[in-house]
Amino acid sequence: MATFRVVLVEPKNEGNVGAVARGMKNFGVEDLVLVNPVPLRAEARQRAMHGVDILERARTVKDLEAAIGLTVGTSGIDTESEKRFARIALSPRELATKLQKAKGQVALLFGREDFGLLEQELRRCDLLVKIPAAERYPILNLSHAVAIILYELFAAKAPKLAVREMSGLEKEKLHASFMGLLDATDYPIHKRSRTQIMFRRILGRAVPSKWEFHALMGVLQGATKRIQRLEGKR
Amino acid sequence: MATFRVVLVEPKNEGNVGAVARGMKNFGVEDLVLVNPVPLRAEARQRAMHGVDILERARTVKDLEAAIGLTVGTSGIDTESEKRFARIALSPRELATKLQKAKGQVALLFGREDFGLLEQELRRCDLLVKIPAAERYPILNLSHAVAIILYELFAAKAPKLAVREMSGLEKEKLHASFMGLLDATDYPIHKRSRTQIMFRRILGRAVPSKWEFHALMGVLQGATKRIQRLEGKR
């Protein structure tokens, strides 16, 4: 299975951060990244319990970094972009099933306690996950959300499948080629962004192999070059 | 499905009790019983968030009452009686599956933060549940344990999300468009068949929605038409 990184984006409550570290320890995930967090003091350490080493080794960054591997966004609040993609948000169990075959690093993004992940943060995600909850009050405590997702991933651990997945670099090349094709075909500017996100999400769910990456690249670049050559001749 | 009651036995941390109330609200369980709890003050209310009504309506009792219906004990620490029943402890998922057919009231017992449920308390349980967790540190925060179990019970009764998948006809149209693009780009004949299969497999894994079908069709047909138009002008 993949290795997991938990990324908390601008957590506002240090107790939650501590509780997340404990939950990570409970489910064997050690890599914690804090994006522009509240200062961590005594309460965070206290709530971390035996997960305090995870808290101490947590990396603090100012901005969301470029993800190395697959990026999974979590959400409970309906943002604009989520409504748009609501129909393809996975449940934690579906995520766990999907990632059973995955290798490499998977970053799990959790947003602010009040506003969740912002539009531009959700855009960077290859997959979206939503924890099923009561309609009247679907907003879980941050550490509860982390615990439930890590619990599902832990429960799903199974023998690895020998699939060579495409790398993060290849993924970005593929997205660039897709954009190149949209460009070449004069795809309407106002539709490009959401079409791009659609393509990212489809690939996120499909987890293509290296071979599939090369084949798709061939198709996209072949079409783009064809158009460019023909336009050059015009 | 059955109705659920959460019973916290001698909780020592009022913040945990509040967080449990919130988790209950998230998963639509309203009935909370506190056995000889720590006094609840501001922190419990604060952590309960929108679950504060559950906290206010919680019943406080001095001793564990005779359960009305099925009693489920939860545990993470190995006590003597737990070792004895270890082989029959269910996972949360197995519990949820089992209780899908159950009716009447089910009491879910959660023990103290440090010692869990005592021998005589475990004896009263009809079922034991254990949350799978890292061997090195299997003791979850009390509210995390409650949240994970209620999440499983909720997920078991939640209707599957109604995703409007693309239809078989749409799927075939999409494959035809993909072939059309390969045609238009003079994609090597000997590679076409396997590239086509690759595309089919990717879509098979991604299970695109109707919306994604239309967006992909737009991209493929747009590129193909562009090429055809340019070639016509040549």
Side-chain angles (χ1 to χ4, degrees):
Chain A
M1 209 174 183
T3 58
F4 296 101
R5 158 177 297 176
V6 171
V7 181
L8 303 184
V9 181
E10 304 200 331
K12 292 174 164 63
N13 180 311
E14 60 161 324
N16 279 339
V17 179
V20 165
R22 177 177 181 175
M24 289 173 65
K25 195 80 178 184
N26 288 145
F27 296 115
V29 175
E30 304 267 322
D31 185 3
L32 177 61
V33 173
L34 305 171
V35 181
N36 194 20
V38 69
L40 303 184
R41 303 209 167 89
E43 198 195 336
R45 294 181 64 87
Q46 224 168 0
R47 295 273 297 278
M49 301 286 285
H50 290 288
V52 73
D53 60 317
I54 290 173
L55 203 60
E56 280 164 355
R57 282 183 285 110
R59 213 150 43 77
T60 298
V61 296
K62 287 218 164 155
D63 294 294
L64 202 54
E65 300 167 330
I68 308 165
L70 204 69
T71 304
V72 179
T74 57
S75 62
I77 307 175
D78 280 329
T79 65
E80 197 199 322
S81 120
E82 209 192 319
K83 268 180 210 139
R84 201 182 298 153
F85 297 111
R87 56 180 66 169
I88 57 158
L90 303 174
S91 72
R93 186 152 324 157
E94 288 167 332
L95 175 74
T97 305
K98 207 156 273 284
L99 293 184
Q100 265 182 326
K101 295 174 208 158
K103 281 182 182 179
Q105 198 190 62
V106 175
L108 304 165
L109 259 61
F110 295 87
R112 301 145 191 86
E113 285 94 337
D114 43 7
F115 293 114
L117 293 169
L118 304 178
E119 177 77 21
Q120 66 266 30
E121 290 157 355
L122 284 168
R123 270 172 206 263
R124 304 169 66 156
C125 297
D126 302 298
L127 289 169
L128 269 192
V129 177
K130 196 165 195 160
I131 296 173
E135 262 179 52
R136 272 169 45 188
Y137 186 39
I139 312 304
L140 272 68
N141 165 272
L142 173 59
S143 74
H144 287 182
V146 175
I148 285 169
I149 300 226
L150 296 187
Y151 154 77
E152 281 283 5
L153 295 172
F154 185 91
K157 264 180 197 161
K160 291 174 186 176
L161 243 135
V163 178
R164 279 179 68 223
E165 269 172 42
M166 67 175 178
S167 69
L169 190 67
E170 287 166 340
K171 189 179 72 178
E172 294 314 317
K173 274 189 193 164
L174 190 54
H175 288 304
S177 296
F178 186 73
M179 269 311 277
L181 181 63
L182 295 186
D183 250 356
T185 55
D186 278 345
Y187 194 78
I189 298 281
H190 68 282
K191 285 186 181 174
R192 283 191 194 185
S193 169
R194 66 174 198 181
T195 299
Q196 219 184 336
I197 295 171
M198 175 278 304
F199 188 65
R200 190 172 283 274
R201 296 280 155 78
I202 285 194
L203 289 185
R205 296 205 304 276
V207 195
S209 68
K210 277 198 187 293
W211 182 79
E212 289 170 334
F213 157 75
H214 286 293
L216 269 182
M217 280 292 277
V219 172
L220 296 178
Q221 290 183 337
T224 303
K225 278 179 194 153
R226 182 78 178 196
I227 292 169
Q228 286 165 343
R229 203 166 51 239
L230 288 164
E231 295 205 324
K233 281 183 188 157
R234 190 168 51 175
Chain B
M1 210 175 182
T3 59
F4 296 102
R5 159 178 296 176
V6 171
V7 182
L8 303 184
V9 180
E10 304 200 330
K12 292 174 163 62
N13 180 311
E14 61 161 325
N16 279 338
V17 179
V20 165
R22 177 176 182 175
M24 289 173 64
K25 195 79 178 186
N26 287 146
F27 296 116
V29 175
E30 304 267 323
D31 185 2
L32 176 61
V33 174
L34 305 170
V35 181
N36 194 21
V38 70
L40 303 185
R41 302 208 167 89
E43 198 196 336
R45 294 181 64 87
Q46 225 168 359
R47 296 274 296 278
M49 302 285 285
H50 290 287
V52 72
D53 59 317
I54 290 174
L55 204 61
E56 279 166 355
R57 282 183 285 110
R59 212 149 43 77
T60 297
V61 296
K62 287 216 163 156
D63 295 293
L64 201 56
E65 300 168 329
I68 308 165
L70 204 68
T71 303
V72 179
T74 58
S75 63
I77 307 175
D78 280 329
T79 65
E80 198 200 321
S81 118
E82 210 191 317
K83 273 178 209 142
R84 199 185 301 150
F85 296 114
R87 58 179 62 169
I88 56 157
L90 303 174
S91 73
R93 188 153 321 161
E94 289 167 334
L95 176 73
T97 305
K98 207 161 275 285
L99 293 185
Q100 261 181 327
K101 296 170 206 157
K103 283 182 181 178
Q105 198 190 62
V106 175
L108 305 164
L109 260 60
F110 295 86
R112 300 145 193 86
E113 285 93 337
D114 44 6
F115 294 115
L117 293 169
L118 304 177
E119 176 76 24
Q120 67 267 29
E121 290 156 356
L122 284 167
R123 274 171 206 262
R124 304 168 67 155
C125 297
D126 303 300
L127 288 170
L128 269 192
V129 177
K130 197 163 193 161
I131 297 173
E135 263 179 51
R136 273 169 47 187
Y137 186 38
I139 311 304
L140 272 69
N141 165 273
L142 174 59
S143 74
H144 287 182
V146 175
I148 286 169
I149 299 221
L150 296 186
Y151 155 77
E152 281 284 4
L153 295 171
F154 186 92
K157 70 178 171 186
K160 291 271 175 198
L161 251 152
V163 182
R164 280 179 65 226
E165 275 172 34
M166 67 175 179
S167 67
L169 189 67
E170 285 166 339
K171 194 176 69 181
E172 293 316 315
K173 273 190 194 165
L174 192 54
H175 287 303
S177 295
F178 186 74
M179 270 311 278
L181 181 63
L182 295 187
D183 251 356
T185 56
D186 279 345
Y187 194 79
I189 298 281
H190 68 282
K191 284 187 182 173
R192 284 190 194 185
S193 166
R194 64 175 200 182
T195 299
Q196 218 184 338
I197 295 171
M198 174 280 305
F199 188 65
R200 191 172 285 276
R201 295 278 157 77
I202 285 192
L203 289 184
R205 294 205 304 275
V207 195
S209 67
K210 278 197 187 294
W211 182 78
E212 290 170 335
F213 157 75
H214 286 293
L216 270 182
M217 280 292 278
V219 173
L220 296 177
Q221 290 183 336
T224 303
K225 279 179 194 153
R226 181 80 178 194
I227 291 168
Q228 287 166 343
R229 202 164 52 238
L230 288 164
E231 295 204 325
K233 281 181 189 158
R234 191 168 49 176

